[in-house]
Amino acid sequence: MTKGFQLDSKHLPLAATIGLFIVMFLFGSLRYTGFFSTQVFLNLFIDNAFLIVVAVGMTFVILSGGIDLSVGSIIALTSMVAASLTMNAQLSPALVIPLSLLVGTVLGFSMGCLIHYFNLQPFIVTLAGMFLARGLCYLINVESITINNEFFSFMASTRIPVGGGNFISISVIIALLVVVAAIFVAHFTKFGRNVYALGGSEQSALLMGLPVGKTKILIYTVSGFCSSLAGLIFTFYMLSGYGLHANGLELDTIAAVVIGGTLLTGGAGYVAGSVVGVLILGIIQTVIVFEGTLSSWWTKIAIGGLLLLFIVLQRVIVARSKTTQTSIASH
Amino acid sequence: MMKSKLFWPIVVLLIILLINLFFDKNFFTIEVKNGYLTGSLIDILNRGAPLLLVSIGMTLVIATKGVDLGVGSVIAMAGAVGAMTVSGANGDSLVPLFTAIAFVIAISILTGIWNGVLVSRIGVQPIVATLILMVAGRGIAQLITDGQIMTVYYDPYTFIGGGHLLMLPFSIFIVAAMLVIASFLTRKTAMGLFIESVGTNPEASRLSGINSKNILLMVYVFSGICAGIGGLILSSNVASADGNNAGLWYELDAILAVVIGGTSLNGGRFYLMGTVIGALIIQSLTTTIYSIGIAPEINLVVKAIVVLIVCLLQSPEFRKKVFGVFNMKQTEKKSKNEGVSIS
């Protein structure tokens, strides 16, 4: 009886998230004509492919009990590097893409090393990383660089039909591949289990003899890589590099992960949940676009409010499961 | 003197100022122009006023092992509210000015309560709790200004950030007043001890009879007020409000100022005077970068590197690895004879 309840309460945020998504989709469908269509649903993926990829990386970080504030800036830096290498250095995409992916990976790796070897707080290291990456963007170019390249245009405009006249983009396929890979890594590999153990209790993980340091560094490297990949997808989407791209994306990403049911204190959550979290953020944006008269700034405010709601929900659940545990212990 | 936490920050500040002298012979000259004192040093104080205010508030927050990432957005919101209140005002009546000040302080207290309740009552980590306001707050500022840059045509409003008193910029007096209030509350009452104790161990503090939750709440409210007044000065100085850019990147500057001043990010002991010098270092650094002619864009990179270096210097692991190999014995002797020099 108690066990069943505990299982329920663990899944409650995710269940609430899926429920909320369905309610919002129904609300949109009833209120606006043309909202209830497969293409509107698929557009959620097309417009938020990059966010899905960042959220996957962030899920690992938050699962381990850390935080990564540098994701938005790394996206901007990747877009800037890709744009300047393609347009100014005239390199071929075959070189540009690996180099751009290296940007976030190296930054993430360095941040992971600083966090592990010198025992610095993740938030201050990644906050410095956030400013460093933005600063580097401006060093490359203060203005926006427009990309005019066959490969990039191909990636941007190719539509893959999925039947019924609906389509998705190449970015969606990349994002879904990342999600599948991440689910595999999180649940079927040693690394994945180490991440969960680290988030549950770093002390216990250390005492169990798990490679805490290696895992920590790898987590931030993965998050950096995901940010860079998201940066590339974002570049395909915008076809430009700019230092102000993805400003404030940190909150969106953290919000998506938390709304997706991952505990902010680490140790519990799912990669798939974060995807639903991203879709909810996407649907808020779609509703605001369909409404037409609302300022786009309402998106930020709505995301902030929703994040607050889910954090409170998490606190309630954690507090309740604690009281159940103590009541079991005392009986 | 070497024992003081303030020694190294003051040395750094002097070095930065001396570098300026190298590029500009008249850097230290202070002249009387139109009845006011003018000069680069006064300029640094005047331009640094908002940062000084925000950093004073941030010091107390960091002393409780928290952080307030929302200060930049509070600056933007305060500027927007202030400018909006006086936007229709004309002439010399002082009523709109005081209404604006009252509104700004009210909204900054509200933001402080929001952060404080999230951290102290609901138990959200300070980074995430204040991150909500960091992003949503800028949205609110944009809504208030309607996405436009709002210009103020009301003279008394510009006095706060651009006026003079006793030949000095008025903003300096505001900063001095807040500093005196903060020092008095924390050093002449038990408040400072409570804040340090909550920062070191909230649970133990609660058990020893300190109301940890209210101390936390109060600290965030104070930080909110500081940021709000900072926003008022900033917006009054340029006689406009820009929801997008006002107070952008102030979070890092303020954290940096506090950390340079010797307050550890792990909470506990805090040094208000250290923070003041830290903020002055950053403002001088910014001014130097502009006056030497380096691209201002490099600013962010320099600051990010400085914050990392300072954090590394504070990390015991780093000190052990880097300094430990060479002069383990020397440090031991030193620490016995002179106390700690870098930390």
Side-chain angles (χ1 to χ4, degrees):
Chain A
M1 180 68 192
T2 10
K3 208 178 171 192
F5 167 72
Q6 271 181 335
L7 205 68
D8 272 352
S9 73
K10 213 173 146 190
H11 290 291
L12 195 65
L14 189 55
T17 310
I18 295 172
L20 185 68
F21 178 78
I22 295 171
V23 166
M24 288 186 76
F25 201 77
L26 285 178
F27 167 80
S29 310
L30 290 177
R31 193 173 157 93
Y32 314 108
T33 45
F35 193 94
F36 186 76
S37 76
T38 323
Q39 193 55 53
V40 168
F41 181 72
L42 290 177
N43 279 344
L44 290 180
F45 284 91
I46 296 175
D47 295 338
N48 294 298
F50 71 99
L51 194 54
I52 291 180
V53 177
V54 199
V56 164
M58 183 70 92
T59 311
F60 282 102
V61 177
I62 294 187
L63 272 180
S64 78
I67 197 127
D68 189 350
L69 297 177
S70 67
V71 289
S73 308
I74 292 185
I75 289 185
L77 183 58
T78 313
S79 80
M80 210 65 193
V81 167
S84 76
L85 284 182
T86 323
M87 297 315 291
N88 301 344
Q90 295 288 345
L91 290 179
S92 88
L95 260 171
V96 169
I97 288 186
L99 281 177
S100 325
L101 286 179
L102 215 57
V103 170
T105 318
V106 169
L107 268 176
F109 177 75
S110 326
M111 290 192 292
C113 286
L114 284 173
I115 292 167
H116 169 62
Y117 287 116
F118 303 122
N119 205 13
L120 299 178
Q121 291 177 10
F123 99 84
I124 190 75
V125 174
T126 53
L127 191 70
M130 165 176 167
F131 288 92
L132 185 69
R134 283 258 183 244
L136 290 176
C137 288
Y138 291 127
L139 275 187
I140 296 175
N141 201 334
V142 188
E143 305 291 321
S144 145
I145 305 177
T146 313
I147 297 178
N148 193 357
N149 177 288
E150 269 179 32
F151 174 76
F152 279 88
S153 319
F154 169 78
M155 292 299 273
S157 57
T158 304
R159 293 177 167 193
I160 302 167
V162 288
N166 301 307
F167 61 88
I168 52 173
S169 63
I170 298 177
S171 306
V172 176
I173 299 197
I174 301 176
L176 291 180
L177 283 178
V178 169
V179 171
V180 172
I183 291 177
F184 176 77
V185 168
H187 298 291
F188 300 101
T189 64
K190 266 188 204 163
F191 170 69
R193 273 189 281 271
N194 290 346
V195 171
Y196 277 92
L198 194 59
S201 163
E202 191 175 333
Q203 196 70 34
S204 312
L206 202 63
L207 290 174
M208 278 161 70
L210 296 179
V212 169
K214 211 175 102 190
T215 313
K216 246 190 200 174
I217 296 176
L218 202 54
I219 287 169
Y220 288 94
T221 314
V222 166
S223 173
F225 172 79
C226 284
S227 310
S228 257
L229 185 59
L232 271 183
I233 296 178
F234 197 73
T235 317
F236 296 149
Y237 188 71
M238 303 292 279
L239 281 182
S240 69
Y242 186 35
L244 275 178
H245 269 338
N247 206 358
L249 195 87
E250 304 79 38
L251 183 87
D252 290 1
T253 319
I254 295 174
V257 174
V258 171
I259 293 170
T262 302
L263 278 191
L264 260 176
T265 42
Y270 304 96
V271 173
S274 304
V275 177
V276 185
V278 171
L279 293 184
I280 289 208
L281 299 191
I283 213 161
I284 293 177
Q285 222 154 10
T286 315
V287 165
I288 284 171
V289 169
F290 266 83
E291 185 68 41
T293 54
L294 281 173
S295 150
S296 67
W297 286 101
W298 278 106
T299 326
K300 295 275 177 212
I301 298 172
I303 292 170
L306 208 59
L307 181 60
L308 175 74
L309 192 80
F310 272 82
I311 288 174
V312 174
L313 183 71
Q314 282 188 1
R315 299 303 304 180
V316 172
I317 290 166
V318 170
R320 256 173 70 183
S321 67
K322 257 187 197 155
T323 44
T324 3
Q325 271 171 12
T326 42
S327 70
I328 294 168
S330 60
H331 279 298
Chain B
M1 188 59 201
M2 285 286 281
K3 278 184 200 169
S4 168
K5 275 266 185 187
L6 295 181
F7 179 74
W8 286 107
I10 290 180
V11 169
V12 173
L13 180 61
L14 288 179
I15 291 174
I16 294 177
L17 292 179
L18 285 174
I19 290 175
N20 269 299
L21 190 64
F22 188 70
F23 286 92
D24 177 10
K25 292 279 179 306
N26 301 322
F27 189 73
F28 285 102
T29 327
I30 294 176
E31 298 175 305
V32 180
K33 260 188 207 161
N34 306 331
Y36 310 131
L37 290 172
T38 52
S40 299
L41 292 179
I42 305 277
D43 214 37
I44 289 176
L45 274 178
N46 189 20
R47 293 204 181 278
L51 179 63
L52 276 163
L53 276 176
V54 173
S55 310
I56 291 171
M58 186 72 89
T59 310
L60 299 189
V61 174
I62 289 184
T64 65
K65 210 176 178 177
V67 73
D68 190 350
L69 293 181
V71 286
S73 297
V74 175
I75 289 178
M77 276 158 73
V81 167
M84 191 194 61
T85 319
V86 297
S87 61
N90 261 317
D92 295 329
S93 156
L94 286 178
V95 179
L97 177 66
F98 287 107
T99 329
I101 294 175
F103 272 135
V104 165
I105 291 187
I107 195 158
S108 41
I109 289 178
L110 266 180
T111 59
I113 291 178
W114 165 274
N115 283 333
V117 165
L118 279 180
V119 172
S120 68
R121 293 308 193 281
I122 305 179
V124 185
Q125 296 113 298
I127 324 157
V128 179
T130 53
L131 193 67
I132 297 179
L133 204 61
M134 179 181 177
V135 173
R138 222 162 258 290
I140 295 171
Q142 288 282 4
L143 283 180
I144 297 172
T145 59
D146 214 12
Q148 309 284 318
I149 295 177
M150 206 180 250
T151 316
V152 175
Y153 303 99
Y154 169 66
D155 283 342
Y157 186 72
T158 54
F159 179 77
I160 304 170
H164 289 77
L165 186 70
L166 299 173
M167 295 169 76
L168 285 169
F170 183 64
S171 54
I172 295 180
F173 291 94
I174 303 179
V175 174
M178 285 307 274
L179 185 63
V180 167
I181 293 174
S183 315
F184 178 81
L185 284 179
T186 54
R187 294 305 178 213
K188 296 292 170 200
T189 70
M191 197 71 86
L193 187 66
F194 288 172
I195 291 174
E196 289 180 347
S197 119
V198 168
T200 318
N201 189 334
E203 190 54 24
S205 316
R206 193 184 64 79
L207 291 174
S208 63
I210 297 172
N211 193 335
S212 300
K213 290 183 173 175
N214 280 352
I215 296 281
L216 279 177
L217 179 64
M218 204 204 64
V219 160
Y220 283 94
V221 170
F222 185 74
S223 168
I225 295 176
C226 285
I229 299 177
L232 196 62
I233 295 179
L234 211 57
S235 115
S236 143
N237 195 13
V238 291
S240 66
D242 179 356
N244 228 354
N245 290 316
L248 202 62
W249 309 129
Y250 259 71
E251 308 82 32
L252 185 82
D253 282 1
I255 295 174
L256 190 53
V258 174
V259 173
I260 290 179
T263 307
S264 160
L265 279 170
N266 292 317
R269 300 214 61 177
F270 62 92
Y271 305 89
L272 280 174
M273 283 319 289
T275 300
V276 169
I277 295 181
L280 288 177
I281 288 179
I282 292 173
Q283 192 57 45
S284 319
L285 199 66
T286 314
T287 314
T288 312
I289 287 175
Y290 278 111
S291 64
I292 293 182
I294 303 174
E297 291 76 35
I298 209 172
N299 226 333
L300 278 175
V301 179
V302 172
K303 282 176 189 165
I305 292 171
V306 171
V307 80
L308 274 180
I309 292 175
V310 174
C311 283
L312 283 177
L313 285 177
Q314 281 190 351
S315 143
E317 280 82 359
F318 179 80
R319 285 218 294 261
K320 223 185 286 165
K321 270 173 197 148
V322 176
F323 302 116
V325 188
F326 303 110
N327 49 7
M328 188 80 92
K329 278 180 192 166
Q330 276 183 354
T331 342
E332 260 172 36
K333 262 187 211 162
K334 251 190 193 171
S335 61
K336 266 178 203 158
N337 298 336
E338 314 178 9
V340 189
S341 49
I342 319 167
S343 61

